[in-house]
Amino acid sequence: MEISAGKLWSLRRLADAQGRFKMVAVDQRPPIMNLITAEKGIDPAPDAEVSAVKEALTRNLAPQASAMLLDPIWAYSDAVRHVQPGQGLIVTLEDHRFEETGGGRKSASITDWSVEKIKRMGADAVKVLAWYRPDADPEICAHQQRYVEEVGQACARHDICFLFEMLVYPLPGEEDQTTDYREHQFKRPQNVVDSVRTFADPRFGVDIFKLESPIPADQVPDPESSEAAECQKWFDELGRASTRPWVMLSAGANQSSFKNVLSYAYKAGASGFLAGRAIWWQAMQQNYPDMTAVDHALTSESVAYMESINQLTDAKATPWQAHPAFSEGYRIAGAGAEFPRMYGDGTAA
């Protein structure tokens, strides 16, 4: 496979030395804001308080991670000092405020923010979350696809890794109506798999997929149970649909449920995780606003959990360079004596 110089460097920096992704997300916005509002009675949550929470999460958890995901408004300025030069840096592009329509949800980028700026700041990857239902209104699906395709083109132009996350959600009239950033409890596994198949098309330019469990995490059976084989089939479908390396997101799952999810995903070929709340939400929810207690819980319970899923990742995850997309190895696009002339047109994979 041919891969551009910048994207190759991005993949290497985001992973550990063996090619496995152990990435922590602190770009969550509504969940943290809502917790601050609930505990302090301030609405909206003060910017400084949101930033302080994200800084604490990064300070305590970054040492266990191969890469950190930060948003540019509340996390980056205060938290990036805790991301070491040898670690990968992912920066969020999408606005957390999506447009809810009668036919589905529309995503957009943060105002005054762009792929170009993320590249200029020295980040290793651009992360975009797009809500997607393959059975939503065709106009909504077209809008979401255009948005993702434009981001993919910009990432190719600026030669930076495109890390793409998608979440299914309830359409009007369905059960479990919510606008929160959490897993849809009545999602259909086929919708999750079909969404991946849509964006696996090369025109979207995705380099790493950040995927949700096809089955609600709290319904995923113990991997040693008699129900495991049927569940594994859906994760295997997810793996076959992913034409590029993929990692699992936690979507607010509890720690034991997410570890179960990882066990299935690693059997299906996943290369690691990019998770947030499964790692740190318990510490926040049980101790905030006492930040001293939060710090203690993060350094004990959350770090211990990260160590356990890191060990699982070391033992079971597929290194990104062993993904079928790289089955014949990889070659830097334009490599050779003509590289200075060939590089830089933004058209390479």
Side-chain angles (χ1 to χ4, degrees):
M1 174 183 171
E2 269 204 343
I3 184 169
S4 67
K7 288 178 179 282
L8 174 60
W9 193 246
S10 292
L11 285 167
R12 292 180 66 194
R13 281 186 52 79
L14 296 174
D16 67 12
Q18 287 70 47
R20 298 179 175 91
F21 301 108
K22 303 165 181 174
M23 305 182 287
V24 177
V26 299
D27 72 324
Q28 292 81 355
R29 287 153 284 180
I32 291 175
M33 294 170 175
N34 293 342
L35 179 63
I36 292 170
T37 294
E39 293 296 328
K40 293 203 166 185
I42 307 172
D43 191 12
D47 290 344
E49 186 69 13
V50 179
S51 295
V53 167
K54 290 170 177 277
E55 189 270 340
L57 295 174
T58 306
R59 182 180 68 251
N60 286 293
L61 299 175
Q64 306 298 321
S66 65
M68 295 295 298
L69 168 58
L70 310 180
D71 70 85
I73 300 176
W74 295 279
Y76 178 79
S77 297
D78 291 331
V80 72
R81 72 192 71 181
H82 303 294
V83 182
Q84 297 303 307
Q87 293 178 291
L89 173 63
I90 312 159
V91 177
T92 306
L93 179 63
E94 92 283 347
D95 197 321
H96 66 282
R97 296 164 296 190
F98 52 84
E99 180 184 352
E100 187 84 79
T101 76
R105 295 177 181 175
K106 291 183 176 181
S107 301
S109 298
I110 295 168
T111 302
D112 298 324
W113 197 234
S114 66
V115 170
E116 179 182 10
K117 289 184 176 181
I118 293 174
K119 175 70 173 185
R120 284 177 57 200
M121 74 195 300
D124 300 295
V126 173
K127 172 259 178 177
V128 161
L129 160 63
W131 299 93
Y132 196 76
R133 280 285 294 262
D135 54 345
D137 185 288
E139 181 183 343
I140 299 299
C141 289
H143 174 278
Q144 295 297 80
Q145 290 179 28
R146 280 195 304 273
Y147 174 58
V148 175
E149 185 173 9
E150 288 169 0
V151 174
Q153 290 171 348
C155 288
R157 193 161 56 248
H158 296 286
D159 204 10
I160 186 170
C161 178
F162 180 18
L163 195 156
F164 179 55
E165 172 183 2
M166 67 199 87
L167 288 174
V168 302
Y169 60 95
L171 294 174
E174 293 184 338
E175 293 180 276
D176 192 34
Q177 286 295 316
T178 178
T179 58
D180 291 338
Y181 277 65
R182 65 174 177 82
E183 189 175 38
H184 181 206
Q185 289 298 300
F186 293 92
K187 63 184 174 183
R188 292 177 53 232
Q190 195 65 55
N191 280 337
V192 177
V193 173
D194 288 346
S195 297
V196 179
R197 289 193 176 119
T198 294
F199 291 101
D201 190 305
R203 72 186 175 96
F204 296 105
V206 175
D207 298 299
I208 302 174
F209 284 102
K210 180 186 178 188
L211 303 179
E212 64 178 316
S213 170
I215 296 168
D218 61 4
Q219 299 174 32
V220 171
D222 186 294
E224 303 302 321
S225 70
S226 58
E227 295 87 12
E230 189 62 31
C231 179
Q232 188 65 52
K233 291 178 182 178
W234 284 111
F235 281 87
D236 292 345
E237 282 292 309
L238 206 62
R240 284 190 286 270
S242 302
T243 54
R244 289 292 185 270
W246 54 291
V247 298
M248 294 306 297
L249 60 88
S250 59
N254 65 42
Q255 293 183 347
S256 61
S257 295
F258 185 57
K259 196 167 185 179
N260 281 345
V261 166
L262 289 180
S263 294
Y264 286 95
Y266 291 162
K267 286 183 181 179
S271 294
F273 60 86
L274 174 46
R277 282 172 288 171
I279 297 168
W280 49 256
W281 185 243
Q282 181 173 298
M284 284 295 302
Q285 198 171 39
Q286 293 181 352
N287 297 285
Y288 184 82
D290 182 345
M291 290 304 297
T292 299
V294 168
D295 280 338
H296 182 267
L298 289 171
T299 56
S300 54
E301 300 161 15
S302 298
V303 166
Y305 180 71
M306 267 207 79
E307 288 173 344
S308 72
I309 60 174
N310 283 349
Q311 289 170 6
L312 178 64
T313 302
D314 288 335
K316 302 294 185 181
T318 299
W320 67 263
Q321 61 268 38
H323 184 274
F326 299 96
S327 60
E328 298 180 0
Y330 57 80
R331 180 178 186 273
I332 296 175
E338 293 295 303
F339 183 73
R341 179 178 65 83
M342 298 292 292
Y343 181 71
D345 64 2
T347 60

